Amino acid sequence: MQVRMVGASAVLVEYDDPADVLAAYAEGRRRGVSLEIVPAATTVLFDGVADPHTLAAEIRTWTLSPVAPDAGDLVELPTTYDGPDLDSVARHWDLTTREVVALHRGTEFVVAFCGFAPGFAYCRGLPGHLAVPRLADPRARVPAGSVALAGPFTGIYPTASPGGWQLIGRTDAVLWRPDLGQPALLVPGTRVRFVDA
Amino acid sequence: MRELEVVEAGALMTVQDLGRPGFAHLGVPRSGAVDTRSLTLANRLVGNDEDAAGLETTLTGVVLRFESATTIAVTGASCVVAVAGRDVAWGEPVSVPAGSMVRVGVASRGLRSYVAVAGGIDVPLVLGSRSTDVLSGLGPKPLRPGDRLPIGAVVGRPAGVDTPPAFRELSEIRLRLGPRDDWFDPASIARLDGATYVVGSSSNRIGIRLEGTPLDRRRDGELPSEGIVLGAVQVPPSGQPLIFLADHPTTGGYPVLGVVASADLPGCGQLRPGDAVTLRLVG
């Protein structure tokens, strides 16, 4: 673990084990230590802190208990696997498209963090060797509900936007409702399964 | 319901309050006024709570029409303000008779003027804020001629006439190193202290691009995406730094060299393309 100061009111903590990121996010929220707690790939940002040095010292003393595999809510996303990049992913994984679909559908994912756009969840679950590159030439418009892969992550575009992820399918699930108090269907820690549409 | 009508919107006019902090873990930018100091001042002048929503203009002038009598105040970038064709004070509460047009002129110094209206702009809240977020599209769309905006209930009395605030350009930006200064060549960082950069033309509510001596990296590769704070100075592979403002993304993958002192952020929001600024490293 490495703790870095960010300006005068934030602390960035980097963890060696990605599992600690969600555990530290949960612990920070339980303790209510800062206005913003932003998990990411290997870090947690604690922003809006009156005394970051005291918080940094406190964080070093936290005993992180791993988040139980069934701790988060389970969300099932009815998904049709007909994305334009399904063939390219199959080639990359050296599998048939049917095998890609079976593998993806058979995996339970966990939302590691959100970013890129409101409600866009980075879901972890595929083994590391199945990481795929982003498109060299990003699309100007990716439709809302597109199920996509980049690096080790699966993501679902909550709203239409430009994007460089490889599109393997689509879901009709509504991922982003800014009129609700809890606007995002998928939040850090949510478990996700892709099921038959 | 009291309303105002947008007659001319200029290059970019948006509704802004103090934004929607607290949702960064869902990928929601904080947004809000870029120059919070000027918005809160304008609100105090007209008797609003400091976090009431007002209008943020961008360089060009705007014209508003008020159906009922009200009080307004214009702060931020200096400009000529006229009510019903007569020049009135900038930086002071001004009475607007029913049915009159208010012209907020082209900024003569600075970039963004703020118009507060007694009662505040009362568009619906989205995640606790009325702000337009140009990055994520949350909040009301940028304003266009013909738009009508509801005005809220008056909560306080306009401030007595005070010494008008003078506009001061920011000439120095103070920067605290970290969290990823270790990605850059130490000599390159040392040169940054006292170095002059010019504000690039593609600057916007998301960030200010600085153009000058590029920063040299001491390591290659990609940084996994990580959380970003307001005022973070991110350095893409070009080596030209970018200062993140109100509508910044919540996470990013380029290393953040340092963070601008929060007291300098309102002034950063008033920098125009072509302005020169000197960077100062502070402990």
Side-chain angles (χ1 to χ4, degrees):
Chain A
M1 178 181 70
Q2 195 167 11
V3 180
R4 297 164 184 266
M5 308 311 282
V6 183
S9 56
V11 177
L12 183 75
V13 188
E14 192 167 17
Y15 293 95
D16 300 323
D17 181 351
D20 284 344
V21 170
L22 270 183
Y25 164 77
E27 184 68 11
R29 283 177 74 92
R30 191 180 67 76
R31 294 173 181 242
V33 295
S34 61
L35 173 63
E36 304 274 18
I37 304 179
V38 190
T42 61
T43 59
V44 183
L45 174 72
F46 299 89
D47 188 15
V49 185
D51 182 352
H53 290 280
T54 300
L55 178 61
E58 181 190 327
I59 289 170
R60 287 190 176 94
T61 68
W62 289 358
T63 310
L64 295 178
S65 37
V67 175
D70 59 352
D73 292 339
L74 175 65
V75 171
E76 295 192 334
L77 298 176
T79 298
T80 307
Y81 287 90
D82 60 358
D85 301 321
L86 192 57
D87 287 341
S88 143
V89 169
R91 279 196 301 277
H92 203 83
W93 288 356
D94 202 15
L95 296 175
T96 66
T97 55
R98 286 174 70 113
E99 288 168 330
V100 169
V101 172
L103 194 155
H104 198 258
R105 201 174 267 160
T107 301
E108 181 168 303
F109 294 83
V110 176
V111 177
F113 61 98
C114 295
F116 173 64
F120 188 103
Y122 289 70
C123 306
R124 220 189 282 276
L126 292 174
H129 71 273
L130 293 184
V132 299
R134 283 163 203 258
L135 299 178
D137 191 12
R139 291 183 172 87
R141 187 176 183 279
V142 174
S146 297
V147 176
L149 305 180
F153 297 109
T154 293
I156 309 101
Y157 285 79
T159 46
S161 73
W165 290 40
Q166 303 217 35
L167 310 184
I168 60 168
R170 60 194 158 87
T171 176
D172 289 335
V174 177
L175 288 110
W176 179 245
R177 288 279 306 274
D179 52 326
L180 300 184
Q182 172 52 271
L185 179 64
L186 308 180
V187 302
T190 304
R191 293 179 294 137
V192 181
R193 275 189 168 279
F194 298 86
V195 299
D196 273 339
Chain B
M1 183 172 49
R2 298 191 307 146
E3 285 186 330
L4 71 80
E5 183 187 345
V6 175
V7 180
E8 290 175 27
L12 175 68
M13 175 163 62
T14 57
V15 177
Q16 296 296 338
D17 53 20
L18 296 183
R20 45 182 73 85
F23 296 98
H25 62 292
L26 303 180
V28 177
R30 90 189 51 223
S31 191
V34 175
D35 176 358
T36 51
R37 198 150 55 201
S38 293
L39 175 69
T40 54
L41 170 65
N43 275 328
R44 288 198 303 274
L45 290 171
V46 299
N48 288 348
D49 292 336
E50 286 198 334
D51 60 355
L55 301 175
E56 181 184 276
T57 72
T58 314
L59 194 63
T60 46
V62 304
V63 178
L64 309 169
R65 183 175 169 280
F66 290 84
E67 275 154 25
S68 31
T70 186
T71 303
I72 66 160
V74 180
T75 61
S78 335
C79 59
V80 172
V81 183
V83 175
R86 304 175 70 150
D87 286 1
V88 297
W90 172 93
E92 288 181 23
V94 171
S95 292
V96 177
S100 50
M101 299 272 221
V102 171
R103 179 176 289 275
V104 177
V106 176
S108 55
R109 295 169 66 188
L111 183 65
R112 296 179 171 98
S113 298
Y114 290 86
V115 184
V117 180
I121 306 296
D122 195 24
V123 295
L125 290 165
V126 177
L127 300 179
S129 167
R130 299 181 167 89
S131 292
T132 298
D133 174 347
V134 301
L135 180 73
S136 72
L138 293 178
K141 290 191 163 51
L143 298 169
R144 295 190 310 193
D147 286 349
R148 301 174 80 83
L149 297 173
I151 297 171
V154 173
V155 296
R157 294 159 58 98
V161 175
D162 210 327
T163 313
F167 182 84
R168 284 188 54 208
E169 273 96 3
L170 186 72
S171 56
E172 265 191 14
I173 296 178
R174 290 166 294 171
L175 194 67
R176 190 188 295 247
L177 290 177
R180 297 293 176 186
D181 48 316
D182 53 348
W183 278 57
F184 299 91
D185 170 42
S188 188
I189 290 178
R191 280 196 300 273
L192 205 57
D193 190 31
T196 297
Y197 283 79
V198 173
V199 174
S201 58
S202 56
S203 303
N204 54 26
R205 284 184 45 84
I206 299 166
I208 300 174
R209 291 185 185 279
L210 297 181
E211 295 166 358
T213 310
L215 281 136
D216 299 326
R217 277 213 197 163
R218 71 194 289 187
R219 53 186 287 188
D220 295 325
E222 271 184 62
L223 182 70
S225 280
E226 60 190 27
I228 287 177
V229 300
L230 184 66
V233 179
Q234 191 187 60
V235 184
S238 67
Q240 302 288 354
L242 183 152
I243 301 173
F244 275 126
L245 300 181
D247 288 355
H248 70 83
T250 55
T251 58
Y254 296 129
V256 169
L257 167 76
V259 180
V260 171
S262 58
D264 292 345
L265 283 172
C268 284
Q270 293 294 354
L271 292 171
R272 299 173 172 216
D275 281 353
V277 287
T278 302
L279 300 184
R280 290 282 172 213
L281 300 184
V282 296

